[in-house]
Amino acid sequence: MTDQYTPPEVWTWDKENGGTFGAVNRPTAGARTERELPTGDHPFQLYSQGTPNGQKVTIMFEELLAAGMQAEYDAWPIRIMEGDQFSSGFVAINPNSKIPALVDRSGAEPIRIFESGAILMHLAEKFGMLLPSETKSRAETLSWLFWQMGSAPYLGGGFGHFYAYAPVKIEYAIDRFAMEAKRQLDVLNRNLATREYLTGDEYSIADIATWPWYGALVMGKAYDAGTFLQVEEYEHVRRWARMIGERKAVRRGRLVKDVSDRVGGIAERHDAADLDALDI
């Protein structure tokens, strides 16, 4: 840390901050372009991208379909690096301009749901799956679901940003968030030392929410940081991550809206056959 920064009395935004997301970040909300969103034929219209938060919802849909539920969905790509999330159509569904966002048209009138945890809860309650109804088990599941929602920003926006995406490497920031990332992994590792899944013996939306973030991290598939964080230390998280990753619905869900072609995915999904063709 060679340069000392003194904050001004009043912060003003007069330049792009640089880094991977510098071209799209702004200190204001709202639509920047006028553009309607496409709409398909299915009851559920999902607008997202294959990031960890996006994978949660496609995995959930694929789990529902695998269980025989009437949960067919259209998945449309929102290319966040190109600013699709700031179109008027998307902002109407999610005023926070973050993916994923869902429109549920299965009832008398369309319902918008944004924030990945809210979408998982909505679908779990609608179909009576992956969220226990018994009070104690439900409380445990929701506790871990909200643990993920509160913790992952420190992993992604904190550690991931400063370690992999920031325009300069800042020792203090990387150290601060590496410490927190490892603390979170230790929380998971201690919990999974005595449990098959996060909440006990049953797979749930807590596992679906947590796996795309922490499963990828301990398997060395996030930020190229496996060695740096010594992820092999977290043996119970790695066992859990491998087990979740072997589920067919998880393999299918993570391929939807992968516009980067990192894992040979598809940009849009409108029918089960779109994924069947990948021979998963």
Side-chain angles (χ1 to χ4, degrees), residues 52 147-148 150-165 177-178 180-182 184-185 188 210-218 222-223 225 229:
W147 175 89
Q148 186 280 319
S151 297
Y154 291 96
L155 174 58
F159 173 75
H161 176 77
F162 286 107
Y163 183 79
Y165 302 133
F177 289 111
E180 175 61 12
K182 288 182 71 67
Q184 292 175 6
L185 288 172
L188 288 174
T210 305
W211 183 83
W213 284 101
Y214 297 91
L217 185 64
V218 297
Y223 315 122
L229 294 176

Side-chain angles (χ1 to χ4, degrees), residues 93-110:
I93 300 174
N94 185 356
N96 195 38
S97 292
K98 302 290 184 181
I99 61 98
L102 177 70
V103 177
D104 179 352
R105 306 186 305 175
S106 63
E109 59 179 327

Side-chain angles (χ1 to χ4, degrees), residues 248-270:
K248 186 173 182 178
V250 173
R251 298 199 307 271
R252 291 171 69 90
R254 70 185 295 265
L255 293 176
V256 180
K257 303 181 308 312
D258 189 349
V259 296
S260 69
D261 293 325
R262 290 188 307 270
V263 291
I266 55 176
E268 296 182 13
R269 188 269 188 208
H270 303 293

Side-chain angles (χ1 to χ4, degrees), residues 231-243:
V231 296
E232 69 280 357
E233 296 178 349
Y234 306 101
E235 59 178 312
H236 304 298
V237 186
R238 286 167 62 85
R239 183 270 309 163
W240 166 85
R242 286 191 296 268
M243 179 177 62

Side-chain angles (χ1 to χ4, degrees), residues 46-50 53-55 76-79 90 99-101 257:
L46 176 63
Y47 304 93
S48 190
Q49 186 170 325
N53 285 333
Q55 288 179 27
W76 304 94
I78 298 296
R79 293 172 171 84
F90 190 83
I99 61 98
K257 303 181 308 312

Side-chain angles (χ1 to χ4, degrees), residues 8-77:
E9 182 177 356
V10 176
W11 184 86
T12 58
W13 184 80
D14 56 5
K15 63 182 182 301
E16 291 184 1
N17 291 334
T20 303
F21 300 95
V24 295
N25 287 338
R26 298 288 186 276
T28 56
R32 301 178 192 170
T33 60
E34 291 294 325
R35 186 165 71 248
E36 293 185 3
L37 293 175
T39 301
D41 296 329
H42 294 309
F44 300 97
Q45 301 295 302
L46 176 63
Y47 304 93
S48 190
Q49 186 170 325
T51 67
N53 285 333
Q55 288 179 27
K56 298 175 190 177
V57 182
T58 49
I59 289 171
M60 180 67 174
F61 272 120
E62 294 300 324
E63 292 283 7
L64 292 170
L65 290 169
M69 299 295 172
Q70 299 299 310
E72 270 295 347
Y73 67 106
D74 291 285
W76 304 94

